[in-house]
Every structure is written in C-alpha cells, then in structure tokens.
Amino acid sequence: MITVLLADDHALVRRGFRRILEDDAGIQVVGEAGNGVEAIAAAVKLRPRVVVMDMAMPELDGLQATREILRQLPETAVLILSMYGEENYIRNALEAGARGYLLKNAIEVDLTGAVKAVAGGRRYIGPGLTAPGAAEPGEPLDRLTPREKQILQLIAQGKSNKEIAALLSLSVNTVSVHRANLMDALNIHRTAELVLYAVKKGLVTLP
C-alpha cells in the first residue's frame, strides 16, 4: 500500500486528488495539508511514502516545505505539482529533492502513475515536460547557500526579517546577515529587484 499526503491550499483541489488516487486499491491517502507549514507537520506525524505537493502555497511554498520534509524524512518521495512547465521551475524542484514534477493540467490522466513511479524510487517528469540540464556555470544563483536561497524565496514572498526569523527558527540578526550576503552575491540591493530576480529564476510563483 502506497501512503500519500496531499498538500494544496484549495480544499476542492485536494478532494479531487483524493478521488483520483483512491480509485486505485494500492494507494491510501492518509492526510491533507493546506500550506507548507502544515505539510511539514503532517509529514513528520504521518510519515507517508509520497507527498503530493503543490508548488505555490502560503506560509512556506512547496519547494521550501519539500526541503524541510526531506531533511527530516529522507526516504519520503515528493511529487511537485505546478502550473509552470519552464525548465528552471523543474530544475528548482529537483534540486530541492523532489522526485517528480507534474503539471496540474495533466493530473487527471497521470497523477496515479506519477505517484506509483516516485514511490518506486523512479524520477518522474510529466508528459510534455523536459528534464532540465545542468545550470550554467557562473550563474550568480549558484553562489548562494541553500539557506540563502530559502531566505531569498521568503523575501520575494513579502516576508519581513522578523517573519522569516520566526518561520526558520533563526534570530533576526542571523536573517539580516544572510540577507546582506545574498544581496552582495547577486549584486542586487533593492527588495523590488530581488523579487523580480526570484520570479525570473523560478524560485517563487506569482499568485
């Protein structure tokens, strides 16, 4: 039996996922979450084989939640769902540790197969999508640490240093240092420009 946690901020969408997956006798949906923070807590509690994770969610987005779940539960497989098919979004998902990436408009046909693939240890890239190549050498984003990338994502989502500190269990001073370092590494020194950069690189998705 493949146990699955569904993470999406729309209850009707989760209900649709559940209906599709539970039509297969070999899959059991064991829990649901409405944002990234809830997804982490539910995954740690329920220890599902697969987390079906929407990329764009409140509190923490799907990539941030994926990193934290896999840090605590490295054997869990994460399948990212997204509206975006560009290569940089897929690359960011795989770099975060996701084992699969599926467009939301392909779910009706492919969700069950995707869940079974990642549960079996295989990488799954949805139909019509191209597995990304390596990032270009010298890309400024490559100079950031995983923590700096995480903080960049949160800045781009409009979070203050105080809010970021609370979400990541860091001191405000530590967040300030990370923020200064990532701005120096990217040679960007205005928040609005950071937001544009993060969107362009697929680190955040616009609502």
Side-chain angles (χ1 to χ4, degrees):
M1 180 67 69
I2 300 171
T3 55
V4 176
L5 170 67
L6 301 176
D8 190 285
D9 58 330
H10 296 97
L12 286 176
V13 173
R14 297 197 305 270
R15 188 180 306 169
F17 294 167
R18 181 183 285 269
R19 176 183 59 80
I20 293 168
L21 292 174
E22 291 192 337
D23 279 345
D24 191 298
I27 297 175
Q28 179 186 9
V29 177
V30 295
E32 299 183 14
N35 60 53
V37 173
E38 289 179 4
I40 295 166
V44 171
K45 178 181 178 181
L46 300 170
R47 306 181 75 85
R49 182 71 193 91
V50 176
V51 179
V52 175
M53 180 84 74
D54 185 21
M55 179 178 276
M57 288 193 298
E59 302 296 335
L60 290 177
D61 69 25
L63 299 188
Q64 294 165 307
T66 293
R67 290 189 186 96
E68 183 58 25
I69 287 170
L70 295 178
R71 186 182 71 79
Q72 298 192 49
L73 302 169
E75 298 304 313
T76 298
V78 177
L79 172 65
I80 292 287
L81 304 181
S82 176
M83 298 296 294
Y84 301 91
E86 290 83 359
E87 182 177 311
N88 57 326
Y89 286 95
I90 303 172
R91 177 186 294 114
N92 288 333
L94 297 178
E95 288 179 351
R99 197 170 289 167
Y101 192 99
L102 179 64
L103 290 178
K104 282 194 167 184
N105 61 14
I107 282 171
E108 190 73 38
V109 176
D110 297 289
L111 182 58
T112 299
V115 166
K116 288 183 173 181
V118 299
R122 301 187 300 280
R123 188 169 82 166
Y124 183 92
I125 303 297
L129 300 176
T130 302
E136 295 180 9
E139 167 66 49
L141 191 62
D142 294 339
R143 302 174 199 149
L144 302 186
T145 67
R147 177 65 84 188
E148 288 168 351
K149 286 183 182 179
Q150 191 175 31
I151 289 173
L152 173 58
Q153 288 176 305
L154 290 168
I155 292 170
Q157 291 170 11
K159 305 291 186 187
S160 68
N161 283 5
K162 185 176 180 181
E163 290 171 323
I164 294 171
L167 284 168
L168 301 182
S169 299
L170 300 173
S171 72
V172 175
N173 286 342
T174 298
V175 172
S176 297
V177 170
H178 282 308
R179 184 178 186 130
N181 287 344
L182 71 89
M183 283 181 156
D184 285 342
L186 299 175
N187 196 28
I188 296 174
H189 300 286
R190 295 178 61 185
T191 300
E193 293 172 0
L194 276 181
V195 173
L196 290 174
Y197 181 85
V199 171
K200 179 182 177 182
K201 295 299 180 182
L203 292 175
V204 294
T205 53
L206 295 176

